Amino acid sequence: REAIQQAERRNRDPAFPSRILVVSAATRSEHTCPGETSKTWRLADHARGLIEKQPGFEVDTLELSHLADEPWKVIHPCKACVSTSMPLCHWPCSCYPNHAMGQTNDWMAEIYPRWVAAHGVFVLCPVHWYQAPASLKLMMDRLVCADGGNPDPTTTRGKDPAAAKALELAGWPYPRHLAGRAFAVVAHGDSQGHEGLREALTEWLTSIGMVQAGASAVLDTLIGYWEPYATSHDQLDAQPETFVQVENAARSLVNMVRAMRSGEHHAPDAGLRNPRQK
């Protein structure tokens, strides 16, 4: 909680550089099986290099492949407290660690402040069976507390469902803890599913109050359509336009963050209240 509060102060302080969180959402890693880096990581690293060259910007790269190649690093699953009552879902998530169940080393304790500190988030993701990889989906589910989560667990006496339901029915404000940050998305596949994944990721980030950084900031693409997996990196090398599209998404994100932090960007729906918070 203290780390999140510190990250929030940093995010709002104009004296700090603009920070982009680049999420490489592939689980494939060169440090364990299969012993080869992912195409997603290559694209993410390309974006990182471009953003770091922008004056006044810094990059925080979040590699979800560490779930597979670092011992004891885990993202425990969401327990769906929000489905009982929104105030029962605490910000940050208080379900872990649970030492009685052996549920420790939860990586989300570190990941939450990294999202909060960022002014923009760039998610790059491969298709796994028409869906996001399990590593990314674990993080997405645990970020549910960012969209309406309760910042004060004492109001629900910890995990008291009755107290939480009473709070919600009395009128819950559904605070959006990541709202106002910019985002970009790149989803890629080799046959099908890339369009649906791009749509799902874009809708997810928009629904939690983040702002798409223009039309060029979201992309779904194929790398080696129905080509052998063994030559997939060669197929990426043969598509220099894909790297240019990733550059365009990164530049769009940088431009949006600049506009937001300078006060030049004015959301057309600022001040409007959604009558259907849930």
Side-chain angles (χ1 to χ4, degrees), residues 20-244:
I20 303 296
L21 178 65
V22 174
V23 180
S24 177
T27 312
R28 188 155 62 116
S29 170
E30 73 274 25
H31 300 298
T32 182
C33 52
E36 182 178 79
T37 190
S38 68
K39 296 182 292 297
T40 303
W41 183 88
R42 291 182 57 192
L43 295 174
D45 190 58
H46 189 72
R48 177 197 58 77
L50 184 145
I51 297 169
E52 286 183 337
K53 294 178 182 178
Q54 309 306 309
F57 276 78
E58 62 184 20
V59 178
D60 177 14
T61 303
L62 175 57
E63 296 182 39
L64 294 183
S65 63
H66 291 331
L67 286 172
D69 63 31
E70 290 194 15
W72 303 113
K73 180 168 281 184
V74 295
I75 295 178
H76 292 291
C78 176
K79 295 181 178 179
C81 296
V82 65
S83 294
T84 293
S85 176
M86 188 76 247
L88 198 64
C89 180
H90 298 151
W91 169 254
C93 175
S94 63
C95 294
Y96 304 100
N98 187 326
H99 295 279
M101 301 293 292
Q103 297 166 334
T104 59
N105 303 307
D106 184 43
W107 195 15
M108 289 303 298
E110 175 191 332
I111 290 176
Y112 286 129
R114 294 170 71 172
W115 275 77
V116 173
H119 300 95
V121 178
F122 194 171
V123 178
L124 299 99
C125 181
V127 176
H128 282 197
W129 285 117
Y130 299 86
Q131 302 289 339
S135 52
L136 175 60
K137 191 58 169 63
L138 283 167
M139 182 180 69
M140 290 172 64
D141 287 351
R142 293 290 303 284
L143 280 166
V144 65
C145 58
D147 187 38
N150 184 354
D152 185 1
T154 65
T155 59
T156 58
R157 299 189 292 274
K159 291 287 186 175
D160 184 333
K165 290 179 179 182
L167 274 176
E168 186 172 17
L169 294 176
W172 187 250
Y174 299 95
R176 290 180 165 182
H177 302 286
L178 295 177
R181 290 159 178 79
F183 76 83
V185 166
V186 170
H188 66 88
D190 60 9
S191 57
Q192 297 172 343
H194 53 296
E195 293 180 347
L197 179 56
R198 182 260 304 162
E199 291 174 353
L201 294 175
T202 301
E203 289 178 8
W204 163 56
L205 293 166
T206 300
S207 72
I208 64 176
M210 296 181 66
V211 183
Q212 180 178 318
S216 296
V218 295
L219 165 70
D220 61 80
T221 189
L222 293 168
I223 299 175
Y225 183 63
W226 287 111
E227 295 290 336
Y229 294 117
T231 58
S232 63
H233 280 285
D234 297 329
Q235 293 295 329
L236 177 56
D237 290 331
Q239 297 178 197
E241 62 274 13
T242 300
F243 288 95
V244 174

